[in-house]
Amino acid sequence: MKRRNIILTSISILLLLVFIFVADSSFDAYKVRILNLCAIYTVLGLSMNLINGFTGLFSLGHAGFMAVGAYTTALLTMSAATKQQNFFLAPILPPLDRLNAPFLVALLVGGLLSAFVALLIGAPVLRLKGDYLAIATLGFSEIIRIVFTNTQRITNGALGLKAIPSTTNLWWSYGAAAFTVVIMALLISSSYGKAFKAIREDEIAAESMGINLFKHKVLSFVIGAFFAGVGGGLLGSLMGTIDPQMFKFAFTFNILLIIVLGGMGSITGTVIAAFIISSAGELLRFLDQSINLGFVVIPGISGLRMVVFSALLMVVVLFFRNGLMGTNEFSWDKVIGLLQRRPLIKRRLGQ
Amino acid sequence: MSVLKTENITMKFGGLTAVKDFNLELNQNEIVALIGPNGAGKTTAFNMITGVYRPTTGSIIYNGQRIAGLKPDAITRLGLARTFQNIRLFKELSVLDNVFIANHLHLNSNIFEATFRLPRYRREKREKLQRSEFLIEKLGLKEFMNEKSSSLPYGLQRRLEIARALATDPKILLLDEPAAGMNPKETDDLTAFIKEIRDEFDLTIFMIEHHMHLVMGISDRIYVLDHGVTIAEGNPYEIQNDPRVIEAYLGVSEDAED
Ligand SMILES: Nc1ncnc2c1ncn2[C@@H]1O[C@H](COP(=O)(O)OP(=O)(O)OP(=O)(O)O)[C@@H](O)[C@H]1O
Ligand SMILES: [Mg+2]
């Protein structure tokens, strides 16, 4: 049994590697971009699901963490010359002008800075519960955005950063997604992950069973923020441009949509939903543009895509509260069980 | 030997005094019951002792240490564990996970060691899984080990709460209406079981219970609360014959008839 699962997993990983190789070398730029987004949204979705889905904290500050990661990674990977071109209104603050790091280091520093920010705001904010926590974290992410708009000499203010080296490719994004999936799966199945779930299920009971609520909430929040920062860094490098407007609440909302659709508290669900939402996000882009049906041109309504997404969220919340997966996870045993069920019935009928 | 003592603990909710000047003393290995009509303040007394509420006034001394005002998890760490009147299991989680989580407080491994399954965590996990399985078996829940806890029938959920509380390795076990919703046979089993775990785990037991048969059969001493005030304290014989207790209970049944 165990052997079979190892073999199946190995085959799947191999197939994925072959797929990435083929996609990387022969797919057109548009398709590659969508595939990249799918993987990056997986990282972002998992990071938010740890906080909101597994630990049950109603946090809406995700865009703030992504912004910290995206700006850090961008500033660490841009060359001195590019930085000089970007910062034409006010010169960049030294030593930022010369700071430079390889992409991997830049991503990790972005994640760590984001985690550090989470630690700073987590200390006061995580004492709040439910709606209050949501409001406070939402406020935090708006503050980050406004700070970034005004720290002209660090972030280039409202102009944003342009010509960020586009290092993100399928290997980076799928590597990061796989890394995040593995770490999350290990964390969630450990004693700490179970303590997170206990907090989600019943805070009073968890506390009475000796779980230090504050410590565990901070851990979950900080780890989630780390991965959000990494995801933000990958995204910035994929886009090539970032500015404070990108990190508005709508961004957090998109990630929220992924975890609600996939199932709060399911890694598998988040991965599936990340693929659905990021593909749909690109494929439905035509909704925002004018549609030419040959005989008549329907003028584009910008923001229509967002309306579709919001409606989708409402439908999920109203009719499928558990999302695609609930709190269930993928396993080979389940898949094979499903595949075998049919022949089994046939066999019985045949007797 | 006294292990827990409360000195005039009082809990006020706005204008309502739910518990007034409650003085409790628990001696090592005793089984002590707290009874009283609905709304008397029994659960509130539990909540103060276990740190869910901080007493408005008064102090709580556990093995010579003042614990009033500590957080529930700190109090559990010191050796007080409880069950809840309105069952509070981790509903979505399995029976095994419910008990396993109650071992988490004794884990020395940090989150890094746990995530990457380093040797210390692997060893601790093995120990704690074994202990969880032992407790689950002890409470007759072995066949439900991997079931979702909310799928268990009510009586078994109460037992699972006891298994979970025991997993924290307590010195004092507080049970809030452990026999609620149980049939007479189950109640009798529970009586025997409470004595058994008291002896096996060297516990002191403090419990709230409405089944008089159970209370009178098992308790060394009984405290009676009515409207937050302690109206009697003594052994089962004394309590059964105390006119104030009889009046408090009759008063309630008269009210119920209106
Ligand atoms: N958090 C709270 N806020 C306000 N009032 C409360 C609170 N908790 C309990 N009370 C009140 O305190 C009084 C005592 O309640 P408590 O739950 O302690 O009673 P009890 O003796 O456990 O009753 P029962 O037998 O019904 O469980 C009740 O009047 C209750 O309404
Ligand atoms: Mg009660």
Side-chain angles (χ1 to χ4, degrees):
Chain A
M1 275 308 241
K2 198 86 180 155
R3 237 182 105 98
R4 182 202 65 197
N5 292 352
I6 292 173
I7 294 172
L8 285 171
T9 307
S10 314
I11 293 175
S12 312
I13 292 174
L14 208 70
L15 284 176
L16 182 68
L17 289 176
V18 170
F19 175 74
I20 295 173
F21 182 77
V22 172
D24 193 46
S25 52
S26 64
F27 280 20
D28 64 52
Y30 179 65
K31 286 202 189 100
V32 170
R33 180 189 156 89
I34 294 183
L35 285 173
N36 269 315
L37 282 176
C38 291
I40 296 172
Y41 272 79
T42 299
V43 175
L44 295 173
L46 288 173
S47 69
M48 191 171 186
N49 211 345
L50 177 66
I51 300 172
N52 294 46
F54 286 106
T55 321
L57 303 171
F58 192 8
S59 161
L60 295 177
H62 232 60
F65 300 133
M66 297 188 272
V68 173
Y71 272 91
T72 309
T73 305
L75 285 172
L76 284 178
T77 49
M78 287 159 79
S79 68
T82 319
K83 283 180 196 165
Q84 212 176 6
Q85 279 167 9
N86 267 287
F87 288 76
F88 59 83
L89 273 186
I92 185 167
L93 202 72
L96 282 177
D97 54 349
R98 262 168 299 147
L99 270 187
N100 228 293
F103 193 50
L104 181 63
V105 176
L107 283 178
L108 292 176
V109 174
L112 288 174
L113 260 184
S114 170
F116 179 67
V117 171
L119 187 67
L120 289 185
I121 69 145
V125 154
L126 289 174
R127 297 185 191 280
L128 302 170
K129 290 203 166 105
D131 307 347
Y132 295 103
L133 177 62
I135 294 166
T137 47
L138 186 61
F140 147 77
S141 102
E142 283 299 289
I143 289 171
I144 287 277
R145 197 167 64 79
I146 289 161
V147 167
F148 279 19
T149 312
N150 290 290
T151 46
Q152 191 73 38
R153 293 191 60 192
I154 299 172
T155 60
N156 205 21
L159 294 172
L161 300 174
K162 296 188 179 63
I164 302 167
S166 61
T167 319
T168 299
N169 57 20
L170 291 175
W171 296 109
W172 278 107
S173 59
Y174 280 79
F179 176 72
T180 314
V181 168
V182 170
I183 297 287
M184 287 295 164
L186 286 173
L187 173 60
I188 288 307
S189 58
S190 80
S191 180
Y192 283 85
K194 286 179 180 167
F196 293 164
K197 289 191 210 168
I199 293 173
R200 171 191 72 197
E201 295 294 309
D202 192 322
E203 284 200 359
I204 291 182
E207 201 173 18
S208 293
M209 293 307 128
I211 295 172
N212 183 331
L213 291 185
F214 183 64
K215 175 184 155 191
H216 286 82
K217 286 179 180 180
V218 169
L219 277 173
S220 162
F221 199 60
V222 165
I223 296 171
F226 172 82
F227 285 99
V230 171
L234 285 166
L235 193 66
S237 166
L238 178 73
M239 305 282 215
T241 340
I242 50 174
D243 64 61
Q245 289 300 319
M246 223 177 104
F247 300 98
K248 280 187 164 173
F249 174 64
F251 202 178
T252 301
F253 178 87
N254 277 343
I255 315 294
L256 187 67
L257 181 57
I258 288 175
I259 63 174
V260 172
L261 177 67
M264 301 279 269
S266 169
I267 296 174
T268 315
T270 303
V271 176
I272 297 172
F275 274 73
I276 295 177
I277 295 293
S278 32
S279 321
E282 288 302 311
L283 297 176
L284 294 180
R285 207 169 265 285
F286 73 89
L287 287 176
D288 286 2
Q289 290 145 12
S290 48
I291 302 167
N292 190 346
L293 294 178
F295 54 97
V296 60
V297 176
I298 304 169
I301 306 165
S302 81
L304 189 58
R305 214 161 37 120
M306 207 60 209
V307 173
V308 172
F309 277 168
S310 306
L312 178 63
L313 183 66
M314 281 164 70
V315 170
V316 172
V317 169
L318 284 173
F319 302 110
F320 314 95
R321 191 143 317 156
N322 293 328
L324 294 169
M325 295 294 289
T327 53
N328 298 314
E329 295 295 356
F330 167 87
S331 82
W332 286 117
D333 294 338
K334 278 187 211 157
V335 172
I336 286 172
L338 270 177
L339 291 177
Q340 279 177 345
R341 200 184 291 161
R342 203 169 267 273
L344 204 72
I345 293 168
K346 271 191 200 150
R347 235 178 292 155
R348 284 213 186 116
L349 285 177
Q351 279 177 354
Chain B
M1 189 188 76
S2 155
V3 286
L4 185 83
K5 206 170 160 190
T6 71
E7 287 170 354
N8 293 320
I9 53 172
T10 297
M11 188 74 222
K12 290 186 180 154
F13 295 113
L16 174 86
T17 305
V19 175
K20 189 172 175 1
D21 294 331
F22 183 49
N23 289 296
L24 169 78
E25 181 152 15
L26 299 179
N27 299 310
Q28 178 76 30
N29 297 123
E30 261 186 325
I31 297 181
V32 177
L34 178 62
I35 65 171
N38 288 111
K42 305 180 294 295
T43 300
T44 303
F46 256 44
N47 284 339
M48 285 191 281
I49 295 169
T50 56
V52 176
Y53 299 148
R54 185 197 191 107
T56 314
T57 56
S59 53
I60 305 171
I61 294 136
Y62 167 72
N63 280 338
Q65 182 184 354
R66 284 173 189 275
I67 60 168
L70 290 184
K71 290 251 174 210
D73 59 287
I75 290 177
T76 304
R77 224 166 272 268
L78 290 174
L80 281 83
R82 70 176 292 181
T83 64
F84 294 90
Q85 179 178 357
N86 47 343
I87 301 174
R88 283 181 176 274
L89 289 170
F90 306 124
K91 292 199 186 71
E92 287 287 318
L93 307 184
S94 70
V95 167
L96 179 60
D97 277 350
N98 265 273
V99 180
F100 182 75
I101 287 164
N103 284 289
H104 182 69
L105 75 162
H106 297 304
L107 201 77
N108 293 315
S109 310
N110 61 33
I111 194 165
F112 185 83
E113 292 173 285
T115 302
F116 294 99
R117 308 291 195 268
L118 298 187
R120 174 156 73 158
Y121 175 74
R122 286 214 302 272
R123 195 191 63 236
E124 285 188 317
K125 184 187 168 183
R126 204 164 44 239
E127 284 165 14
K128 303 212 172 339
L129 266 183
Q130 258 168 21
R131 184 169 160 73
S132 305
E133 283 167 9
F134 164 75
L135 288 171
I136 287 169
E137 201 167 341
K138 178 106 205 130
L139 279 121
L141 295 167
K142 194 172 178 208
E143 56 186 307
F144 305 104
M145 192 104 86
N146 296 312
E147 302 283 321
K148 215 189 222 189
S149 67
S150 57
S151 72
L152 295 184
Y154 197 70
L156 297 186
Q157 292 196 13
R158 288 219 171 272
R159 284 210 234 160
L160 177 54
E161 276 225 339
I162 296 179
R164 194 176 64 168
L166 287 174
T168 66
D169 203 9
K171 305 278 185 300
I172 303 179
L173 182 62
L174 297 95
L175 304 169
D176 197 344
E177 304 202 14
M182 286 189 180
N183 63 36
K185 161 92 174 59
E186 286 175 324
T187 309
D188 281 346
D189 290 348
L190 184 71
T191 310
F193 181 74
I194 291 176
K195 284 189 174 157
E196 190 187 321
I197 55 171
R198 189 260 316 259
D199 297 336
E200 182 169 347
F201 299 104
D202 192 25
L203 297 172
T204 304
I205 289 174
F206 185 42
M207 66 171 186
I208 299 173
E209 194 39 74
H210 282 300
H211 286 60
M212 283 309 140
H213 182 63
L214 173 81
V215 171
M216 296 303 165
I218 198 176
S219 311
D220 297 312
R221 286 184 303 117
I222 299 170
Y223 288 80
V224 189
L225 277 186
D226 186 23
H227 292 102
V229 180
T230 314
I231 56 168
E233 182 209 326
N235 64 36
Y237 179 80
E238 290 163 349
I239 295 299
Q240 269 166 318
N241 296 296
D242 190 309
R244 282 165 306 176
V245 177
I246 296 166
E247 197 197 306
Y249 271 89
L250 285 179
V252 166
S253 58
E254 265 171 18
D255 284 348
E257 278 162 26
D258 300 340

